[in-house]
Amino acid sequence: MSSTVIRTLAAGVLAAGFAASAHADNIKLMTGPQGGSWYPLGGAIKNIVESNVSGSSVQVLPGAGIANVKAVEAGKADFGFANSVSTVDAINGKAPFTEKAVNVCNVATLYPQYFQIVALKDSGISTPADVKGKALTTQKKGNTGEAITSHLMQAYGMSYDDLSRVSYGSYTDSVNQLKDGNADWFTLGTTVPAGAIMDLASARDITIVPVPDDGLAKMKEINPGYQRIMVPAGSYPGQADAVPTIGYSTHIIARCDLDEQLVYDVLKNLAASVPDLANVAKAVGKADPKSMAVETGVPLHKGATKFYKEKGVL
């Protein structure tokens, strides 16, 4: 056998081995805190990918919107759930990010997220302007829900210093504090209905606090990605009317330098498995290639671009 043929065969073997290794690597997927929709969605994605992408293994890790963007940018995660408003802040290098993210790409928009403000009915809180001097429980720093809460305070001319107490923890911790009367109001960003709020409503009378138009306008000055969204009437016990609040989108991000074919294969199988994802988070049920390809202000990954072009939606 000639040396040229040997070199050609060797190159082919190496190329095949490299292509296989792209899928054989352990995929790190950052999700969200337990009690929200991201963590169980991560489990569903793990099952879909491992069942359909040859040689793949997915490690599901807890996280939060802002923390996930930072992890992907730093190369500590391959994929992650994120919120459009905070990812755009990362791309532009705006607080809470200290520099522009250059290795974060969009893969797919999944569903709208609702920033929800919940108060005990006897707390005296009926608008965000009423929270001064009250006890707040929210998510840990690095979670988009906490960042939006900080913006809300700013929009109403306040800061956390104007509150009697601020606690940062899990949804479960927050619900327990409200049940025990150790907090007056609770903020979180997730789908509707939120399991944590349903849990709280089973024990205490609650109010879903609206964010009126003037509050939205002030928040859009802080981040133009905030949008009007309505918590549908009857989403929670005792909620007779639709409640206006702040909306944004949940999307999947990936390292821009992640293997193009791997991202394509993952996205292709997720798009084909929307009903399975909807069994975990009902809001995903409306997703299709066209809605998944919606512009977010975050550059698309090459693997996602390939998929959406094939579907004729880009």
Side-chain angles (χ1 to χ4, degrees):
M1 185 180 294
S2 71
S3 61
T4 301
V5 172
I6 292 173
R7 286 196 299 271
T8 301
L9 289 173
V13 170
L14 287 172
F18 178 80
S21 68
H23 287 185
D25 287 344
N26 181 276
I27 300 167
K28 292 183 178 179
L29 169 63
M30 299 291 292
T31 61
Q34 294 186 6
S37 58
W38 288 2
Y39 192 80
L41 266 178
I45 289 175
K46 171 183 171 71
N47 292 335
I48 291 166
V49 173
E50 290 182 347
S51 298
N52 294 284
V53 180
S54 178
S56 64
S57 173
V58 180
Q59 182 181 6
V60 176
L61 302 168
I66 294 169
N68 293 356
V69 176
K70 291 181 177 180
V72 168
E73 170 67 11
K76 295 179 180 178
D78 302 302
F79 291 89
F81 289 106
N83 295 304
S84 55
V85 286
S86 50
T87 312
V88 169
D89 278 343
I91 297 298
N92 294 322
K94 293 184 178 181
F97 300 93
T98 57
E99 56 187 22
K100 293 183 178 181
V102 297
N103 197 27
V104 175
C105 282
N106 186 37
V107 175
T109 295
L110 293 182
Y111 57 84
Q113 286 274 58
Y114 298 72
F115 176 65
Q116 298 171 69
I117 307 169
V118 189
L120 297 178
K121 200 154 192 176
D122 58 6
S123 66
I125 300 172
S126 57
T127 75
D130 300 327
V131 302
K132 189 172 183 178
K134 305 293 185 179
L136 165 69
T137 179
T138 187
Q139 287 83 71
K140 295 178 181 179
K141 298 283 187 177
N143 189 294
T144 302
E146 184 280 322
I148 298 175
T149 305
S150 179
H151 287 172
L152 179 76
M153 299 297 293
Q154 182 181 340
Y156 280 86
M158 292 181 280
S159 71
Y160 289 149
D161 291 339
D162 293 299
L163 303 176
S164 63
R165 177 184 173 188
V166 181
S167 299
Y168 307 93
S170 68
Y171 291 168
T172 301
D173 291 339
S174 292
V175 169
N176 287 336
Q177 288 186 56
L178 286 156
K179 285 181 177 179
D180 295 340
N182 294 320
D184 300 301
W185 61 298
F186 171 33
T187 57
L188 68 167
T190 187
T191 52
V192 170
I197 298 177
M198 294 298 287
D199 182 14
L200 174 61
S202 70
R204 298 292 299 267
D205 291 333
I206 62 169
T207 297
I208 307 300
V209 180
V211 179
D213 290 343
D214 60 341
L216 172 62
K218 292 174 183 176
M219 291 192 70
K220 285 176 72 70
E221 291 176 8
I222 300 170
N223 187 317
Y226 292 135
Q227 302 293 329
R228 169 63 74 217
I229 197 168
M230 305 293 289
V231 179
S235 295
Y236 300 108
Q239 183 210 338
D241 301 315
V243 177
T245 192
I246 303 298
Y248 49 99
S249 295
T250 277
H251 64 147
I252 297 177
I253 57 173
R255 290 189 290 111
C256 297
D257 60 5
L258 193 60
D259 181 73
E260 178 180 338
Q261 187 62 40
L262 174 59
V263 173
Y264 171 88
D265 288 342
V266 168
L267 176 55
K268 179 180 178 180
N269 284 286
L270 292 185
S273 304
V274 165
D276 294 328
L277 297 176
N279 287 334
V280 177
K282 185 178 179 181
V284 186
K286 296 181 180 180
D288 59 24
K290 184 176 181 179
S291 69
M292 295 169 88
V294 165
E295 170 64 34
T296 61
V298 180
L300 268 179
H301 193 283
K302 289 182 180 179
T305 298
K306 177 183 176 182
F307 174 75
Y308 294 130
K309 283 185 175 179
E310 284 186 1
K311 291 296 182 180
V313 296
L314 198 62

